[in-house]
Amino acid sequence: MIHTAQGMHIYKKRHHRLISLGVLLVPLIMIIILGGVTKVGGLDILAAIGLSLFRLVVAYGISLVIGIALAIGFGGSRFGDSVIPIFDVLQNVPSFALIPVFAIFLGYTNTMAIAFAATSIVWPILFYVLTAIKTARTDLNEASLIFGATGWKRIVYYYLPLSFPAIITGSIVGISIGWEAVIGIEIIGLTSGIGVFLNKASVNGQTSLLSAGVLGILLLVFTINKAIWVPLLHRTKYYGE
């Protein structure tokens, strides 16, 4: 059975919210401690990671909207089968090979980093959602039409709940690729962000700083997984069946 968006509340109880808040505070405390041990201000490490995270979150938001919109637009139409192979070819183009193109039009700017990351994140979301739509049971589609799910209601009450597990799975894969894209472009051409911090520490042979930066990223990724993706993955079992 497909559930409506009302069933998507993750943290229903107060202790769930308190635990999540505690998990979010752990990396902040650890990064500050690491900054003190390595003689670098914890705020400097936090600022670098925060800027990279900001770029990633904005890129993810853009990718999420575009990926879902394209998947619903082409997955639910008769023209989808002719367009999907084009998407497949585009996703196989090495993303880092496109850096010169982005640099020509946008320069090595914050906007360029976000746009570049978005082009990397969008593909897993797009194809996971496309697969969910294309492989949906026929009776679910017919039932949605019988109950009047047309126009925007079809998107809200049929496509989105149907695709919820695919959206979460595609997002997790996309975010992992996005981290690589953001940090990579920071190392190559930007002047700020955790990628720049790690690159400088590596070039200068500052092993302690490099370790602090890497540990900071690992703590942040672990926290995001535990606080956001794990609960959402748990919720996917209620959707699409």
Side-chain angles (χ1 to χ4, degrees), residues 31-45 197 206-210 212:
I31 290 172
I32 292 174
I33 294 174
L34 286 170
V37 171
T38 57
K39 307 304 180 182
V40 174
L43 292 179
D44 293 335
I45 302 176
F197 182 93
Q206 297 171 308
T207 306
S208 59
L209 293 184
L210 184 62

Side-chain angles (χ1 to χ4, degrees), residues 85-105:
I86 299 176
F87 290 151
D88 192 35
V89 171
L90 291 175
Q91 77 154 339
N92 284 292
V93 176
S95 58
F96 280 87
L98 300 176
I99 289 178
V101 178
F102 282 92
I104 290 174
F105 290 99

Side-chain angles (χ1 to χ4, degrees), residues 55 102-103 105-115 185 189-191:
R55 290 166 176 158
F102 282 92
F105 290 99
L106 299 173
Y108 285 103
T109 61
N110 199 49
T111 301
M112 183 268 202
I114 293 172
I185 200 64
L190 270 65
T191 59

